[in-house]
Amino acid sequence: MSKMRVVSRGRRERRAAYALTAFALCLATPAHADFAACVAGLRGAAAAKGVSAQTFEALTRDLQPNPDVLKSEAYQPEFKTAIWDYLAGLVDEERVEDGRAAMRENAAALRAAEGRYGVPATVMTAVWGVESNFGRNFGNKPVIQSLATLTCEGSRRAGYYRGELLNAMKIVQSGDIDPRDFNGSWAGAFGHTQFMPSTFLASAVDGDGDGRRDIVHDAADALASTGNYLRKAGWHQGMTWGFEVRLPEGYAGPSGRTRKQPMSAWASRGIARIDGRPLGEGTAGLLLPAGPNGPAFLVTKNFDAIYGYNAAESYALAIALLSDRLRGLPGIQTPWPTDDPGLSRADRREVQTRLQERGYDIAGKIDGVIGDKTREAIVDFQQRNGMRSDGRASQSVLTALRR
């Protein structure tokens, strides 16, 4: 690394202090009394974590809760959405093409990260695509405000978010992230690959040698940090995450991601790769995301490393399948057990467009994101057309809208 490019710790901290002053001047709305008392009560814990009084005061002065954060916590699509809907929007042709373009544009950074951490470029790119649509959607909620809300306003995981809030304060103090740019998801995840603050402190690296770990503005830093995270989570170089398999008719044997057995044991039960090739060596668990009548996958420890990123099997499967598509492999071969498949983002945009043409208010731009207003419009349309009123953007809804 060139000495000319290294930013000293003292310089970073001075830059952070200037940014904190500007950030504090932007906060002018009075806080709720109970919320303010809760936040003030964190002062001692923050000091014990190495957060200065100046940093704490600048980040919490006049801070107020954001009630939308708690609403988002109650609705998490990876746990609430049917698997075929969830994957249809995350692993569509549009994202595959965008991912290939992102890989071409960031080839040098991906090559360096793959060589350093042993994680395939396609996997790091797939994480990037699922987390922020290749840098297009970081989330717009201030991280400090979101984490303070989750800590002090009744989240069922308040203790966890308390720790993340203190870690977020440390990040700002270090100067790696400007507090004015410190925005992200409702849960406090931020940057190109949506790291939680604790993950940032443990795994973020300087991917391009400029002296900062800036996963907000610098894709090279974010991709290298993702490779480092996955390696620490147990990624084994040269091992697949898994593959789709075909079950024997009426299969009623063991299953589950964590119930790993030798490939020979799965083969003895009549399980085979979907393309007919041998299962190979090693151990794997049998993942049945929609039960034995839907697609089935044998998943290895590398799938578990991806799972650790968000602790949802549907999420890990989306990244795994997208990484395969970026390698040029086909998508899922076995149909999902539904007669009303999910929609790609292009199809969802068409649903929004046709609803708007019928006079519905979908609250915002045509973006393929099915929010509350779009769901309300779908429910009304379904009721008026004698359909099941579930608010789901499905093939049957799109077909009816096209009539």
Side-chain angles (χ1 to χ4, degrees):
M1 184 188 303
S2 169
K3 292 183 179 179
M4 294 294 292
R5 300 183 70 194
V6 176
V7 180
S8 71
R9 179 178 177 181
R11 181 178 170 190
R12 288 203 309 270
E13 290 181 350
R14 286 195 299 274
R15 183 168 54 201
Y18 298 146
L20 279 169
T21 301
F23 177 76
L25 292 173
C26 294
L27 297 173
T29 306
H32 298 183
D34 291 345
F35 176 79
C38 173
V39 171
L42 299 172
R43 188 182 301 275
K49 290 276 284 187
V51 178
S52 71
Q54 178 191 10
T55 297
F56 185 88
E57 175 64 20
L59 291 176
T60 60
R61 186 185 307 130
D62 296 323
L63 192 63
Q64 65 175 339
N66 180 356
D68 289 341
V69 167
L70 295 177
K71 293 178 184 177
S72 296
E73 184 188 29
Y75 179 79
Q76 298 181 49
E78 56 267 43
F79 299 108
K80 301 280 189 179
T81 307
I83 184 68
W84 44 86
D85 282 341
Y86 184 77
L87 292 178
L90 283 174
V91 191
D92 57 10
E93 294 303 319
E94 183 178 345
R95 203 176 307 267
V96 172
E97 290 305 312
D98 287 349
R100 289 171 179 162
M103 290 181 68
R104 290 191 296 270
E105 293 167 8
N106 296 271
L110 285 164
R111 188 163 52 247
E114 182 171 351
R116 186 174 180 183
Y117 302 110
V119 179
T122 51
V123 173
M124 291 182 285
T125 305
V127 173
W128 189 17
V130 169
E131 286 291 355
S132 73
N133 195 22
F134 311 108
R136 295 184 180 92
N137 183 16
F138 288 174
N140 58 9
K141 292 180 172 58
V143 168
I144 298 295
Q145 182 187 41
S146 294
L147 292 172
T149 300
L150 291 161
T151 299
C152 293
E153 291 288 293
S155 166
R156 58 184 180 275
R157 300 180 65 199
Y160 166 74
Y161 290 115
R162 176 179 181 272
E164 294 295 344
L165 174 59
L166 300 180
N167 286 329
M169 292 179 178
K170 290 184 66 176
I171 291 170
V172 173
Q173 182 170 275
S174 74
D176 282 307
I177 306 295
D178 188 316
R180 292 165 294 186
D181 297 331
F182 204 12
N183 301 314
S185 74
W186 65 265
F190 66 99
H192 280 273
T193 50
Q194 295 287 282
F195 272 17
M196 291 299 290
S198 60
T199 306
F200 179 93
L201 292 175
S203 299
V205 295
D206 175 11
D208 59 3
D210 67 354
R212 297 182 72 192
R213 302 179 297 170
D214 186 357
I215 67 170
V216 173
H217 300 102
D218 196 330
D221 286 1
L223 292 167
S225 298
T226 300
N228 187 38
Y229 171 84
L230 289 171
R231 183 184 66 172
K232 288 185 173 186
W235 186 274
H236 292 261
Q237 187 172 4
M239 178 189 292
T240 178
W241 66 265
F243 42 81
E244 187 179 358
V245 295
R246 181 179 294 108
L247 302 180
E249 189 171 351
Y251 179 79
S255 65
R257 174 182 61 85
T258 62
R259 300 178 66 183
K260 291 183 172 56
Q261 297 186 26
M263 294 293 188
S264 57
W266 297 117
S268 70
R269 296 185 176 96
I271 294 174
R273 284 186 187 249
I274 200 72
D275 59 10
R277 292 185 295 132
L279 296 182
E281 303 297 325
T283 62
L286 179 61
L287 184 67
L288 304 177
N293 295 321
F297 307 87
L298 284 177
V299 297
T300 70
K301 291 180 179 179
N302 279 354
F303 185 87
D304 298 338
I306 300 172
Y307 174 87
Y309 213 99
N310 194 19
E313 289 179 349
S314 57
Y315 167 90
L317 189 58
I319 289 174
L321 293 170
L322 181 57
S323 71
D324 276 359
R325 293 297 313 278
L326 294 174
R327 289 173 56 203
L329 298 178
I332 297 173
Q333 303 298 296
T334 306
W336 293 108
T338 177
D339 59 0
D340 195 8
L343 299 178
S344 68
R345 287 176 296 161
D347 287 340
R348 293 176 188 183
R349 289 195 293 269
E350 183 180 349
V351 166
Q352 291 177 316
T353 299
R354 291 181 179 273
L355 286 169
Q356 197 172 68
E357 288 172 349
R358 290 170 180 261
Y360 288 102
D361 175 17
I362 64 165
K365 63 181 180 179
I366 304 297
D367 57 7
V369 177
I370 307 301
D372 290 341
K373 283 293 187 180
T374 301
R375 277 191 289 269
E376 290 172 7
I378 292 173
V379 167
D380 186 78
F381 176 80
Q382 289 170 322
Q383 290 173 344
R384 292 174 183 272
N385 288 271
M387 304 169 69
R388 179 184 175 189
S389 304
D390 57 7
R392 178 174 166 249
S394 64
Q395 190 62 54
S396 63
V397 168
L398 180 57
T399 299
L401 283 166
R402 285 172 173 170
R403 294 191 187 114

